[in-house]
Amino acid sequence: QSVLTQPPSASGTPGQRVTISCSGSNSNIGGNFVNWYQQLPGTAPKLLIYSSNQRPSGVPDRFSGSKSGTSASLAISGLQSEDEADYYCAAWDDSLNGRVFGGGTKLTVL
Amino acid sequence: QVTLKESGPALVKPTQTLTVTCTVSGFSLSTSEMRVSWIRQPPGKALEWLARIDWDDDKFYSTSLKTRLTISKDTSKNQVVLSMTNMDPVDTATYYCAARIDSGWYDYWGQGTLVTVSS
């Protein structure tokens, strides 16, 4: 059971906009920044969004992150087949004094 | 250019102690605000944070695993080492190290090393 809650799956057709949610509490998302990671099969996680809404250079602006209260969201617009991957959210938890991850969301491009 | 590379045994026996090493380049382990974490991922499962060590030698551990974990760093070798005692088949996973090199939340990850626990 992960501390951060993500839907196990999401899907969309090419060109669509998809949103993945990440729900936490005051001790993690509510008081700290959120990172999002994309993991393609057989590869290491890749930083997609950091500090809740910042994109590393090289990440397309189709990807955006937001945070409100104790929840965060990753939005992918103009969905492409290469976006098919697992997505994870993460945040520091002040109560646990450690980092916590979501259970991951498997995105399927139909 | 910041890079991290994990190394360690591919196979360990139950009850043994696992030692994995993260060798970093492109920054110093004594750089202010530097933090290196270990994260693992069992096959087909989610990411799990294990431990973190900071530039000032402050250490943080997963509450569920803290009795089994020890994290340390050797600044002269640019290495961060994680030890996990009493290994069990459920500890079979890819072990990743990740680093933050400033006060922000941008982090760099290694490629991971797969450790299988089996007799």
Side-chain angles (χ1 to χ4, degrees):
Chain A
Q1 189 79 354
S2 301
V3 174
L4 303 182
T5 302
Q6 297 180 236
S9 63
S11 64
T13 56
Q16 262 191 333
R17 183 176 189 271
V18 168
T19 300
I20 297 172
S21 62
C22 175
S23 178
S25 66
N26 287 326
S27 63
N28 42 64
I29 294 178
N32 293 292
F33 288 114
V34 177
N35 280 14
W36 288 91
Y37 301 93
Q38 177 192 60
Q39 188 175 33
L40 299 170
T43 68
K46 169 192 170 184
L47 182 65
L48 206 58
I49 297 289
Y50 67 99
S51 298
S52 302
N53 58 14
Q54 302 298 302
R55 267 189 319 276
S57 68
V59 172
D61 59 6
R62 302 186 295 106
F63 295 90
S64 63
S66 63
K67 190 187 92 163
S68 178
T70 59
S71 292
S73 293
L74 172 71
I76 309 171
S77 59
L79 200 60
Q80 299 180 3
S81 57
E82 56 259 40
D83 299 333
E84 192 161 282
D86 293 326
Y87 293 84
Y88 293 91
C89 58
W92 186 261
D93 191 295
D94 294 325
S95 295
L96 296 173
N97 223 14
R99 200 148 190 232
V100 291
F101 284 88
T105 298
K106 184 175 186 61
L107 175 64
T108 301
V109 181
L110 302 168
Chain B
Q1 180 188 2
V2 172
T3 64
L4 298 90
K5 184 163 187 174
E6 304 88 346
S7 58
L11 180 67
V12 297
K13 295 185 186 322
T15 75
Q16 285 186 335
T17 294
L18 168 69
T19 299
V20 284
T21 300
C22 176
T23 302
V24 309
S25 64
F27 68 99
S28 169
L29 294 177
S30 60
T31 299
S32 182
E33 305 294 345
M34 184 287 308
R35 301 164 173 87
V36 174
S37 288
W38 282 95
I39 302 105
R40 71 178 179 180
Q41 185 175 36
K45 296 190 176 181
L47 299 167
E48 179 185 18
W49 179 84
L50 301 175
R52 187 184 101 185
I53 190 165
D54 295 353
W55 79 99
D56 57 1
D57 218 37
D58 217 353
K59 298 164 187 167
F60 304 84
Y61 294 100
S62 162
T63 53
S64 61
L65 292 168
K66 70 180 303 179
T67 60
R68 299 174 53 203
L69 296 173
T70 303
I71 191 170
S72 62
K73 62 181 171 71
D74 185 331
T75 302
S76 65
K77 292 183 179 178
N78 292 325
Q79 292 180 336
V80 174
V81 176
L82 181 75
S83 295
M84 180 181 290
T85 61
N86 195 24
M87 292 292 283
D88 182 272
V90 300
D91 297 313
T92 293
T94 297
Y95 286 75
Y96 296 100
C97 60
R100 291 162 52 199
I101 61 172
D102 58 30
S103 59
W105 285 92
Y106 189 112
D107 57 5
Y108 304 83
W109 288 58
Q111 63 193 24
T113 185
L114 175 62
V115 177
T116 301
V117 184
S118 174
S119 54

